[in-house]
Amino acid sequence: MLVSIIVAMGNNRVIGNKGQLPWHLPEDLQRFKRLTMGHSLIMGRRTFESIGRPLPGRQMIVLSRDPDYKVAGCDVVSGIEAAFQLARSAEEVFICGGAEIYQQTLSLAERIYLTKLGVDPDGDALFPEIPVGDFKAICIRQFNGAPAYQFSILQRCESRRALSPETENKL
């Protein structure tokens, strides 16, 4: 199973503000859908609630400390290990946030699908620092718009896994 992080962030590593994305970038939402369709998604309860519903065509695994938390159409678990157990048959599992979940899984991720916006938004949720030398960019596409942004794929340096042509076409 390939463990991947998918994240959009500003130059200042902000990923959220008061439970919402601090920008609206339709191209990023389309990329998210293309990349995650047919795969398993792991996310925290607050991230799930900001989305507001199970996403079709994907296994949704929601992490919550509340043992009574239930969501129709989603699997709810209390920890990362249980989430990986549920996703064990998946070819690729996507970690979708929030900040605490990213912090817990960054050391486990082999790949990061990163959207970096050329803005410094206000926010209360940050993506953790990526340790220097742990990942290398294997694909970068720059877009000039308002705001400017880039899509990139970072691969863990010791990984020998190649990017599939199918995944490259989804970028």
Side-chain angles (χ1 to χ4, degrees):
M1 168 176 50
L2 173 62
V3 176
S4 297
I5 286 176
I6 189 164
V7 62
M9 68 177 164
N11 286 326
N12 56 0
R13 296 188 0 259
V14 166
I15 59 173
N17 192 24
K18 297 182 176 96
Q20 299 298 316
L21 290 174
W23 52 75
H24 180 69
L25 186 62
E27 296 85 357
D28 181 55
L29 299 174
Q30 293 163 6
R31 178 182 190 236
F32 180 91
K33 183 177 181 179
R34 280 192 310 272
L35 288 168
T36 64
M37 187 59 72
H39 296 285
S40 297
L41 309 182
I42 297 173
M43 66 189 68
R45 176 193 53 80
R46 288 180 295 209
T47 298
F48 172 75
E49 289 176 353
S50 75
I51 295 169
R53 62 182 171 80
L55 298 173
R58 289 154 275 200
Q59 177 189 23
M60 303 278 292
I61 303 169
V62 179
L63 291 157
S64 175
R65 291 183 189 99
D66 180 352
D68 297 324
Y69 188 76
K70 306 275 186 271
V71 178
C74 296
D75 296 303
V76 179
V77 296
S78 61
I80 295 293
E81 296 80 18
F84 284 136
Q85 265 308 107
L86 280 174
R88 72 181 171 276
S89 63
E91 178 184 324
E92 184 169 17
V93 61
F94 287 87
I95 308 299
C96 303
E100 186 178 331
I101 306 303
Y102 287 138
Q103 184 68 47
Q104 291 176 30
T105 59
L106 183 59
S107 65
L108 306 172
E110 189 172 340
R111 189 172 287 162
I112 301 173
Y113 296 91
L114 174 62
T115 299
K116 187 133 183 215
L117 290 90
V119 295
D120 292 304
D122 291 333
D124 55 13
L126 301 175
F127 191 77
E129 290 273 355
I130 298 172
V132 175
D134 281 10
F135 289 87
K136 64 182 176 215
I138 60 173
C139 181
I140 299 174
R141 293 183 64 198
Q142 185 71 37
F143 300 89
N144 297 319
Y149 61 95
Q150 73 178 24
F151 291 154
S152 57
I153 300 174
L154 309 178
Q155 184 89 5
R156 187 165 293 279
C157 289
E158 67 266 11
S159 175
R160 302 205 184 284
R161 196 182 306 247
L163 190 61
S164 72
E166 178 185 307
T167 300
E168 259 187 279
N169 291 334
K170 293 178 183 177
L171 299 177

